[in-house]
Amino acid sequence: MYRNDTICALVTPPGVGGLAVVRLSGPESFRIADQCFRGKQPLSEAGSHTIHYGRFVWGEELIDTVTAAIFRAPHSYTGEDTVEFGCHGGIVVSETIVEALIAAGARLAEPGEFTRRAFLNGKLDLVQVEAIADLIYAVSAPGARLAARQLVGGLTQRLRQLRQQLIETAALLELELDFAEEELEFVSRTELLSRLEQAQLWCQQLADSYRAAEVLRSGFFVGCVGYPNAGKSSLFNALLQRRRAIVSPIPGTTRDYLEESFFLNGIPIRLVDTAGLRQTEDVVELEGIALAEDVVRQCNVVLLVNDVTCGVEHSIELFRQLRERFPEALYAYVQNKIDLLSDGLPRWSPETLGVPIFWVSAVRGDGIEELRAWLGEQARRNAELGVDVLINARQARVLRSVAQALGAAAEALRAGLSAEFVAADLRHGVQLLAELTGETWREEVLNTIFARFCIGK
Amino acid sequence: MGRILRRGEGSYDVVVVGGGHAGIEAAAAAARMGCRTALLTMDVRAIGRLSCNPAIGGTAKGHLVKEIDALGGVMGVLADRSGLQFKLLNRSKGPAVWSLRSQNDKRLYPLYAQELLLQLPNLDIIPATVTGILVRHDRVCGVKTEDGSVLKARAVVLCSGTFLNAVMWTGLRAVKGGRAGEPPAEGIAELLTSYGLQRGRLKTGTPPRLAAESIDFHRLEPSYGDDPPQPFSFRTKQVRNRIVCYVTHTTPETHEILRRGFDRSPMFTGHIKGRGPRYCPSIEDKIVRFADKSSHRIVLEPESLGSNSIYVNGFSTSLPEEIQEEGIRSIPGLERAVFLRPGYAVEYDYFFPWQLTHWLETKALGGLFFAGQINGTSGYEEAAAQGLIAGINAALQVQGRGTFVLHRSEAYIGVLIDDLITKMGDEPYRMFTALAEYRLLLRQDNADRRLMRYGYELGLIDAQAYEQLLEREELLQRLVATLQSERAAPEAVNAYLAELGESPLEEPVPLAQLTRRPNVSLAALLALYGERYAWALRYPQVIQEAEIELRYHGYIQRQLREAELLRQSEQIRIPEDFDYTRVRGLSAEALEKLQRIRPPSLGHAARIAGVSPADIAVLALYLQ
């Protein structure tokens, strides 16, 4: 059942990304890693929980500059010796790294095998292990400044509090049901409802913080969108402030865009350049939007690039359609090519637009700093967690379903249903929460009743 | 016909030891299933005694009685016959938590129980104190009694209640005995321990009994039964309320008096080591734990039409007698109260129930079954439920017919036994509706629909009763189908809806949909159609069940789905000889408990306190 070899795999989502992490886990991890890593010292001599900057090579060929995070057994995600390479994103680099590791003696991990090993090695305080894992991802991005202490245990503690609250609410409901003969003052419906609503809101907010956590983990997506020749590519390069390096663009029929990343305020910004959207007879070609849809959908910010020489309102229709379709993103209307204007900046500040307008020249560099500063500010704000914990996709999903169950409980209460129905929804919520907290609940509800209320004949 | 023998010997299929509520059900079930059965009891007149509160049922316990009745047990019938007052608790709540409770005549209940047993075929009742269990090749083969006789048995059901090494305490005065005036059972516990069965110690208590004529009832608040009262048993046509109970409260003065006796409390001075039930605390416990409450509720319950004894519900105590008396007399209405008997605490041995299978046979000794307080439960109903299951399984085993186990999703009895086995509780176990995760499925109204088929198959329910159930079931299906297909026209029902203050219909909707409105009564709705639904209206029970099934359809469906998931997880069996030490990554606590309890399936393992979802995930990987 338990194979004791060394395995490796890409552990960040595959595809285009600013950063990627390849994990190597098993008894041979350090030996294999040393064959591929050139840094100040061999990784096999490095202490646990240290991060090393260096070059990842395959034979003599440089694959990427990477960070190597060292975890010595049993203090790793899997409980085994583990090295995690943080490399630049994109399929090519990460796949090459995985191939190199396999060539050096590792085996490609089966889906879920890291987690299975974590199970088998008794590393399964789900919440904490996940938080640690998340931390690793975040730290492997140079400049990310998340304190480890802030994360580890923070979520566990909060979920425990939530659970405690729900159990107490359940106890109040059960009290009515199982101790009907007692002379007890039962809690009012209003009070119960407010407890449920608060808990629901809390879950929802925590679930929503996933978006912020994602920014810290995966980066802040900024897309350049506009008609052909609006100067998107030059804006792309101007924002980047460097030549495109290392990662080659991935041409493809469905993903016809380029991606690069840089850091602002310590947050990885993932800049995406889309192919131009064509316009026919003043009607935006919807097909074009569909093409950019993939990009825009995951964008935190959409920079709508307008060639100001075609007129300040030239791209307004495109802007409106995009915003209608993807209302969640932030937008900025970027008036490019102001260097070509002979009469100075036109006066144009429409009140109805409702988004910031930037006047830039990508070629000459005018206004680029302002735009970068604005992006940095947006990234910072988006990365601000309402809570001081990081959650991952699974935790967000569970929390959303908990919120839903609590919503149903509140609904049952509002509809005037008897406590056992409300309790059924509430119990469902606590059971879902058990996926994160790993605790059962039955004894506790009664324990709470016995501790808090004078019961009994 | 059953008979009372002077002394026992010879050979039986099933020997039941103990004539309490577990023993009665076990003996009745085994005998009615065709086994030659002996019921051994220290005192034949003590069979069916209501040792504590003369009441049957209550929240969740009422469900147990309904289930026992549906399976063909006797408790429901006995409670109905001896009932003095009937109340359906939680009537203002939903149908899943309606629970029947009765006050019973303490004198009549045992008499009816004895009468019922004497009418059974295959049953011998033998007054004897069992002093030994005979074992051969890890299997029980009989019992030995005090006078030296030996009864051979193919299965033995031990229902010894609070009698194993029992000690009663009033103040610091300790007397050996399991119940006032009755001796303990000694030796058996040690013998069983020598076969590897592990035991612990528990405590329970009972309040004082007062003389009715010494109580000033006029000043107290009366508490009446339901009008009309409902019976427990489907066999009972009608029951009557015959008594009124009275409510009073302790005062700050009472608490002060009782506190003065704390230095002579066997509980607080550490003389009693066994743990008592938190849901049924002694009055001294309540005063200590809820120091901010200046008053506790007391219900005065007549124990019998034929006696003046009043049970002081809420005043269970083991304080010294003179403190009890002084305390009682500080309670309004009880100023001149005369004691018939002081309250006392009883401490007794029980065997950890994780040593049992789901059919209540000990894992250590084949053919030996435990039921009732010996398993660490409290309550007549919990005892009776186990007695029934143990008796049924003892009989099935003797007859080579397999085992009978109820699932958590089909009966409170299933929840009770599964909890006993998978939980390692250290206080007496009491049934609560909160313990049933499928509470909305396990209602008292559908107990017979859930369980009567089993009773019939086991031979405990007669064909006539079962056929009536099938007819009702068919009628219910037909009614639900009709309600789903037939539509209510606005003109037919809008007047009725207006009367209720409900929004009127704009267009016809299925009757089922209207039934889901909380204020709509299905009976009233169908009555609007004159004779058309008379076929259904003749059966109020069917109408009620259809209403419940339709109204809570969403919830019921969800619980059915959840129950199905649980059953699936129980399909993953764990081999009996599974070596848990091989499983890497189990927590130390989980390892210890899994090795001890040896759950039959992954689903059961998941319910063990201290076994986390992580442990289950690890285990699952090894079982695949």
Side-chain angles (χ1 to χ4, degrees):
Chain A
M1 179 101 251
Y2 185 83
R3 289 163 70 185
N4 199 21
D5 53 359
T6 301
I7 53 173
C8 70
L10 177 68
V11 290
T12 41
V16 178
L19 297 159
V21 173
V22 172
R23 180 183 288 143
L24 177 66
S25 177
E28 295 292 304
S29 288
F30 298 129
R31 190 188 61 73
I32 293 169
D34 274 338
Q35 291 181 41
C36 306
F37 183 80
R38 301 283 176 270
K40 278 188 185 156
Q41 63 175 140
L43 296 176
S44 52
E45 290 167 18
S48 188
H49 297 75
T50 56
I51 291 181
H52 305 268
Y53 184 74
R55 293 172 299 131
F56 192 99
V57 295
W58 189 355
E60 292 309 311
E61 191 190 345
L62 172 69
I63 307 299
D64 195 4
T65 50
V66 299
T67 55
I70 304 299
F71 306 93
R72 292 190 178 270
H75 305 293
S76 69
Y77 180 72
T78 56
E80 305 170 324
D81 283 342
T82 298
V83 181
E84 289 180 348
F85 292 105
C87 60
H88 288 91
I91 292 168
V92 179
V93 171
S94 56
E95 281 194 351
T96 312
I97 285 180
V98 168
E99 276 176 49
L101 292 172
I102 291 172
R107 171 170 66 79
L108 184 65
E110 290 161 19
E113 196 170 1
F114 290 120
T115 307
R116 195 190 314 162
R117 288 187 175 201
F119 276 152
L120 291 173
N121 287 312
K123 299 293 293 183
L124 200 83
D125 177 341
L126 275 175
V127 166
Q128 292 193 353
V129 170
E130 283 172 341
I132 293 168
D134 288 346
L135 172 65
I136 306 314
Y137 300 145
V139 169
S140 60
R145 293 174 201 158
L146 285 163
R149 227 174 309 151
Q150 179 189 358
L151 299 180
V152 180
L155 180 59
T156 306
Q157 203 186 338
R158 267 165 189 72
L159 291 175
R160 247 181 228 147
Q161 282 166 2
L162 169 68
R163 200 167 163 283
Q164 196 49 44
Q165 269 178 21
L166 297 182
I167 297 270
E168 275 184 26
T169 310
L172 293 173
L173 291 165
E174 298 294 351
L175 188 66
E176 281 187 31
L177 301 173
D178 271 323
F179 302 94
E181 292 162 88
E182 310 285 336
E183 192 180 59
L184 293 164
E185 279 174 36
F186 298 126
V187 177
S188 76
R189 299 263 132 173
T190 329
E191 161 76 18
L192 284 171
L193 189 59
S194 112
R195 277 166 175 260
L196 285 173
E197 285 170 343
Q198 270 175 27
Q200 184 194 359
L201 186 67
W202 190 87
C203 285
Q204 197 58 56
Q205 280 172 349
L206 189 55
D208 289 345
S209 76
Y210 169 63
R211 188 177 272 268
E214 264 308 287
V215 169
L216 289 173
R217 226 185 329 256
S218 310
F220 186 71
F221 279 83
V222 178
C224 297
V225 182
Y227 292 123
N229 295 322
K232 295 184 299 298
S233 296
S234 42
L235 182 66
F236 181 86
N237 282 328
L239 287 171
L240 215 53
Q241 290 186 338
R242 63 176 153 98
R243 288 190 168 193
R244 296 224 307 269
I246 307 172
V247 181
S248 334
I250 307 160
T253 48
T254 54
R255 288 187 166 166
D256 200 7
Y257 53 82
L258 307 178
E259 185 187 320
E260 255 305 344
S261 51
F262 60 101
F263 284 82
L264 283 175
N265 290 339
I267 298 155
I269 308 292
R270 299 171 63 167
L271 190 61
V272 187
D273 184 16
T274 64
L277 298 165
R278 279 178 297 269
Q279 190 183 26
T280 49
E281 296 175 352
D282 276 348
V283 177
V284 178
E285 195 180 55
L286 286 175
E287 212 176 308
I289 292 185
L291 201 66
E293 200 165 300
D294 269 0
V295 176
V296 178
R297 174 161 293 145
Q298 60 174 326
C299 277
N300 300 88
V301 168
V302 174
L303 298 178
L304 193 104
V305 187
N306 180 46
D307 181 350
V308 78
T309 61
C310 299
V312 289
E313 300 202 350
H314 178 62
S315 309
I316 283 290
E317 186 51 32
L318 174 62
F319 164 69
R320 295 228 154 91
Q321 290 196 26
L322 278 173
R323 194 163 61 166
E324 193 174 308
R325 197 145 169 168
F326 307 104
E328 284 188 14
L330 287 167
Y331 288 84
Y333 197 88
V334 182
Q335 301 283 23
N336 193 18
K337 305 192 189 177
I338 56 169
D339 53 311
L340 300 180
L341 292 176
S342 44
D343 306 337
L345 296 185
R347 284 175 176 274
W348 188 68
S349 52
E351 281 169 19
T352 51
L353 205 59
V355 304
I357 300 158
F358 291 92
W359 302 87
V360 305
S361 163
V363 179
R364 216 162 58 190
D366 300 6
I368 294 300
E369 267 322 302
E370 286 85 344
L371 182 53
R372 275 175 65 97
W374 181 78
L375 284 174
E377 177 59 18
Q378 302 313 311
R380 193 186 58 72
R381 269 200 222 161
N382 262 266
E384 256 174 14
L385 300 156
V387 287
D388 59 352
V389 292
L390 269 187
I391 64 167
N392 64 27
R394 190 182 72 89
Q395 291 161 343
R397 195 194 65 234
V398 171
L399 283 165
R400 256 180 229 117
S401 58
V402 173
Q404 211 170 16
L406 296 179
E411 189 47 48
L413 204 55
R414 273 185 233 112
L417 287 181
S418 168
E420 68 273 23
F421 298 101
V422 184
D425 288 319
L426 185 53
R427 180 192 288 256
H428 187 55
V430 176
Q431 269 166 352
L432 290 168
L433 197 60
E435 263 192 63
L436 300 183
T437 61
E439 292 159 290
T440 52
W441 89 316
R442 279 179 300 172
E443 288 77 11
E444 279 176 276
V445 173
L446 287 173
N447 287 348
T448 306
I449 293 177
F450 297 142
R452 300 229 350 232
F453 301 94
C454 183
I455 294 300
K457 44 193 178 184
Chain B
M1 288 288 278
R3 54 190 181 152
I4 299 179
L5 304 182
R6 205 159 298 156
R7 67 184 292 249
E9 54 194 355
S11 177
Y12 289 90
D13 291 329
V14 177
V15 164
V16 177
V17 182
H21 304 280
I24 292 171
E25 297 290 353
R32 290 173 58 205
M33 285 171 71
C35 289
R36 206 169 124 65
T37 306
L39 173 64
L40 273 60
T41 169
M42 289 183 186
D43 177 358
V44 174
R45 285 165 309 161
I47 290 175
R49 207 164 262 179
L50 300 168
S51 326
C52 191
N53 194 358
I56 302 287
T59 46
K61 290 165 171 270
H63 288 74
L64 284 175
V65 181
K66 286 270 184 184
E67 291 181 354
I68 291 166
D69 191 60
L71 286 167
V74 301
M75 180 170 253
V77 172
L78 296 177
D80 288 341
R81 284 190 200 158
S82 62
L84 297 177
Q85 191 190 75
F86 294 82
K87 255 186 200 173
L88 186 64
L89 305 177
N90 275 336
R91 206 188 261 280
S92 65
K93 315 268 167 40
V97 292
W98 293 342
S99 286
L100 191 57
R101 180 177 189 268
S102 66
Q103 289 294 127
N104 297 79
D105 192 307
K106 195 183 182 97
R107 208 174 44 85
L108 290 179
Y109 191 99
L111 288 178
Y112 284 126
Q114 292 152 29
E115 181 191 62
L116 188 145
L117 290 178
L118 282 171
Q119 286 168 0
L120 291 178
N122 311 320
L123 181 67
D124 288 347
I125 298 172
I126 304 169
T129 300
V130 171
T131 53
I133 304 279
L134 305 177
V135 176
R136 223 168 125 189
H137 305 310
D138 291 335
R139 243 202 105 72
V140 70
C141 59
V143 298
K144 209 166 74 184
T145 65
E146 207 169 27
D147 63 2
S149 18
V150 165
L151 276 84
K152 285 192 189 159
R154 297 170 68 193
V156 172
V157 184
L158 197 53
C159 315
S160 51
T162 61
F163 279 73
L164 293 180
N165 292 327
V167 178
M168 293 178 293
W169 293 86
T170 305
L172 298 182
R173 199 164 55 88
V175 182
K176 283 186 172 187
R179 195 159 48 195
E182 298 177 44
E186 291 178 318
I188 294 196
E190 290 73 11
L191 186 72
L192 291 171
T193 303
S194 76
Y195 289 109
L197 286 159
Q198 297 177 43
R199 65 199 150 115
R201 210 143 165 84
L202 289 174
K203 169 251 159 184
T204 187
T206 192
R209 310 297 199 270
L210 308 177
E213 65 277 9
S214 67
I215 298 171
D216 194 358
F217 287 114
H218 308 294
R219 292 162 47 203
L220 304 178
E221 173 199 335
S223 168
Y224 300 100
D226 286 345
D227 184 25
Q230 288 179 31
F232 281 105
S233 178
F234 70 91
R235 299 179 187 84
T236 307
K237 294 277 168 286
Q238 208 185 354
V239 288
R240 282 202 313 160
N241 289 318
R242 299 158 198 263
I243 56 160
V244 179
C245 297
Y246 291 88
V247 179
T248 181
H249 292 87
T250 61
T251 63
E253 195 198 343
T254 316
H255 298 189
E256 206 35 60
I257 294 166
L258 297 181
R259 274 203 186 90
R260 289 208 307 268
F262 281 4
D263 59 337
R264 281 164 293 158
S265 151
M267 295 285 297
F268 297 150
T269 51
H271 284 81
I272 291 182
K273 304 269 187 305
R275 177 126 181 227
R278 286 173 301 172
Y279 45 82
C280 189
S282 59
I283 184 74
E284 50 266 38
D285 246 359
K286 290 193 230 178
I287 292 172
V288 171
R289 286 178 44 213
F290 301 96
D292 55 324
K293 274 196 88 173
S294 59
S295 173
H296 296 284
R297 178 175 143 110
I298 301 290
V299 186
L300 302 172
E301 301 172 345
E303 291 209 292
S304 167
L305 292 178
S307 95
N308 64 343
S309 183
I310 298 293
Y311 180 93
V312 189
N313 196 339
F315 203 86
S316 168
T317 179
S318 57
L319 289 170
E321 198 170 338
E322 64 276 16
I323 296 284
Q324 291 186 25
E325 292 195 15
E326 204 184 329
I328 281 284
R329 289 186 190 129
S330 68
I331 296 171
L334 304 182
E335 291 84 353
R336 286 180 305 278
V338 171
F339 270 52
L340 297 176
R341 202 180 76 194
Y344 62 86
V346 58
E347 205 186 6
Y348 56 96
D349 283 355
Y350 78 110
F351 284 86
F352 302 126
W354 46 261
Q355 304 175 96
L356 301 172
T357 61
H358 276 80
W359 50 97
L360 297 179
E361 187 179 14
T362 61
K363 291 177 189 169
L365 294 175
L368 179 63
F369 296 78
F370 283 174
Q373 275 166 304
I374 189 173
N375 292 334
T377 59
S378 81
Y380 311 137
E381 306 79 0
E382 287 85 348
Q386 294 168 68
L388 179 61
I389 297 299
I392 288 171
N393 278 294
L396 289 175
Q397 191 176 81
V398 165
Q399 295 164 349
R401 289 165 66 192
T403 58
F404 176 63
V405 175
L406 288 168
H407 191 255
R408 297 184 74 87
S409 62
E410 58 188 351
Y412 272 90
I413 298 176
V415 175
L416 164 70
I417 293 175
D418 186 61
D419 275 356
L420 281 181
I421 291 166
T422 55
K423 304 274 169 279
M424 313 259 285
D426 54 357
E427 73 179 318
Y429 180 98
R430 195 210 119 145
M431 198 76 247
F432 289 104
T433 71
L435 295 168
E437 56 271 67
Y438 311 111
R439 179 161 55 192
L440 303 179
L441 304 179
L442 308 184
R443 305 186 306 272
Q444 58 133 30
D445 66 87
N446 66 2
D448 46 3
R449 286 174 53 214
R450 287 184 277 125
L451 302 174
M452 199 182 269
R453 179 170 59 87
Y454 296 126
Y456 174 68
E457 286 164 1
L458 289 164
L460 296 171
I461 291 284
D462 60 54
Q464 194 195 347
Y466 183 56
E467 272 157 28
Q468 277 172 2
L469 171 80
L470 292 183
E471 276 167 35
R472 224 178 72 215
E473 184 77 51
E474 205 182 298
L475 214 61
L476 177 64
Q477 305 295 348
R478 192 174 139 206
L479 177 59
V480 170
T482 307
L483 293 172
Q484 277 162 348
S485 64
E486 293 187 17
R487 287 166 177 271
E491 60 274 20
V493 297
N494 275 352
Y496 169 64
L497 292 176
E499 228 172 86
L500 296 175
E502 287 271 327
S503 59
L505 293 186
E506 310 251 311
E507 54 187 44
V509 303
L511 283 162
Q513 196 178 318
L514 264 189
T515 310
R516 289 200 184 101
R517 294 197 186 182
N519 294 327
V520 168
S521 142
L522 180 56
L525 186 63
L526 295 184
L528 298 175
Y529 290 86
E531 282 300 298
R532 185 158 170 197
Y533 297 108
W535 56 271
L537 285 167
R538 267 197 297 278
Y539 302 91
Q541 200 178 350
V542 172
I543 296 280
Q544 186 195 52
E545 281 170 38
E547 196 174 270
I548 292 169
E549 297 275 335
L550 286 171
R551 194 164 288 168
Y552 306 116
H553 182 77
Y555 282 97
I556 290 172
Q557 289 304 311
R558 190 170 82 201
Q559 297 217 324
L560 284 172
R561 278 197 303 276
E562 286 170 5
E564 182 50 35
L565 286 178
L566 180 68
R567 278 176 187 271
Q568 279 171 17
S569 72
E570 288 171 0
Q571 296 296 313
I572 306 173
R573 309 300 291 181
I574 304 177
E576 249 173 73
D577 55 353
F578 186 77
D579 179 8
Y580 288 99
T581 57
R582 276 194 334 162
V583 183
R584 287 176 59 177
L586 278 183
S587 71
E589 188 186 2
L591 179 64
E592 193 253 323
K593 293 198 167 164
L594 288 167
Q595 280 183 310
R596 205 189 299 188
I597 296 173
R598 310 206 72 81
S601 78
L602 199 63
H604 290 90
R607 289 199 284 278
I608 297 173
V611 177
S612 71
D615 295 314
I616 291 305
V618 178
L619 194 52
L621 285 171
Y622 273 82
L623 290 171
Q624 274 164 12

